[in-house]
Amino acid sequence: MTAPLAANVICGSPARNHDFDFARRKLLDALYAAGGIRTDVFSNYDDAAAIEAGDLLVSYTSQVLVGDEQCAALRGYLERGGRWFAIHASNSVRDNAHLPGILGSRFIAHPPCMRYEVSVTRPDDPLLAGISGPFEVDDELYVIEHADDVEVLLHSHWGGEAMRQHFDDAFRPLMYRRRVGDGGVLYLALGHCNRPFDRPRPDSPDLPDHRGPWGLPVYQELIRRGIDWAAGRRPF
């Protein structure tokens, strides 16, 4: 019998600005459904030895401090062939000097949750085969700065006010893949989940609806494919 792959899920934040329990449950369910994967769960990147020993890494974090030792472990893990599926606010890394250079992007701002259109940038890419676009989501639209070597897979166009800043209308990457040594990163910006007591959008009724895009079949498929990619079951 083939030994299961060892996955590390890092899910949490000192800011508590998302429903991390909800996201953690969804990711664990998806990893279990993928089969042949044993999962350990952490709230931060502190266990460098676990990162280096893992077969795949999945993260859903926000503003988690990552030290130099942990950044070195992440880079080494990727350079030796490891794959990291990073979701939503994983690139919200505060003032970390090293992590954006590994992950390939840094979060800048987002407007309030809203409905917007997502376009498939590379419809011929095997990772997006059969996913038709554009499709609509209710989510935070992330404005990010990113490395020049990312392969953008999903995008939107947006301009306006976000977190007391003005942004011109521009191409906004929402999913990308990036090589790091023999491995690499798959980043998916979509995936906000409100806490149960938060409104889904400022103009929404005051109801406990915190699913965001997680209830959409297309988003669930992106999560499934991201996990398969991180597990080495899909080509780079």
Side-chain angles (χ1 to χ4, degrees):
M1 181 178 294
T2 304
L5 298 175
N8 290 311
V9 170
I10 303 176
C11 184
S13 170
R16 302 183 185 274
N17 51 8
H18 298 76
D19 190 340
F20 290 98
D21 291 334
F22 176 86
R24 189 181 300 112
R25 287 178 56 204
K26 291 295 185 181
L27 292 173
L28 289 174
D29 284 346
L31 283 156
Y32 188 82
I37 298 174
R38 178 187 60 78
T39 304
D40 289 322
V41 182
F42 305 87
S43 61
N44 55 47
Y45 299 84
D46 287 355
D47 196 335
I51 291 171
E52 291 178 315
D55 294 306
L56 62 148
L57 176 64
V58 179
S59 68
Y60 187 102
T61 58
S62 176
Q63 301 180 31
V64 173
L65 295 174
V66 188
D68 291 348
E69 179 184 354
Q70 288 71 34
C71 284
L74 284 164
R75 184 176 290 280
Y77 160 77
L78 296 172
E79 289 178 343
R80 290 189 294 274
R83 295 187 182 189
W84 179 8
F85 181 29
I87 304 166
H88 197 48
S90 293
N91 65 353
S92 177
V93 293
R94 301 178 71 176
D95 297 324
N96 188 285
H98 304 297
L99 198 60
I102 301 168
L103 183 57
S105 67
R106 183 196 297 272
F107 166 80
I108 302 299
H110 65 74
C113 280
M114 62 183 182
R115 178 160 294 182
Y116 61 90
E117 193 173 84
V118 177
S119 296
V120 179
T121 318
R122 299 191 177 206
D124 297 330
D125 192 284
L127 196 59
L128 297 176
I131 294 180
S132 59
F135 57 89
E136 291 189 338
V137 296
D138 286 308
D139 204 345
E140 294 173 338
L141 197 159
Y142 269 23
V143 177
I144 65 173
E145 59 181 19
H146 60 85
D148 293 335
D149 59 354
V150 303
E151 301 174 67
V152 179
L153 302 173
L154 299 176
H155 72 276
S156 189
H157 281 88
W158 177 83
E161 301 298 319
M163 301 172 71
R164 300 181 180 180
Q165 303 174 70
H166 177 78
F167 297 91
D168 293 336
D169 185 69
F171 178 90
R172 304 293 176 189
L174 296 175
M175 185 178 189
Y176 68 74
R177 184 175 50 217
R178 181 180 190 240
R179 284 197 176 274
V180 182
D182 291 332
V185 172
L186 180 67
Y187 171 71
L188 177 62
L190 306 175
H192 182 70
C193 49
N194 286 313
R195 298 163 296 183
F197 48 84
D198 290 330
R199 290 185 179 185
R201 298 198 310 264
D203 59 343
S204 298
D206 193 7
L207 297 174
D209 181 353
H210 62 291
R211 295 168 296 173
W214 290 84
L216 293 176
V218 65
Y219 187 74
Q220 295 164 4
E221 182 63 21
L222 290 171
I223 292 294
R224 283 192 290 268
R225 294 186 187 195
I227 287 172
D228 280 349
W229 178 89
R233 297 170 179 172
R234 288 179 176 266
F236 200 99

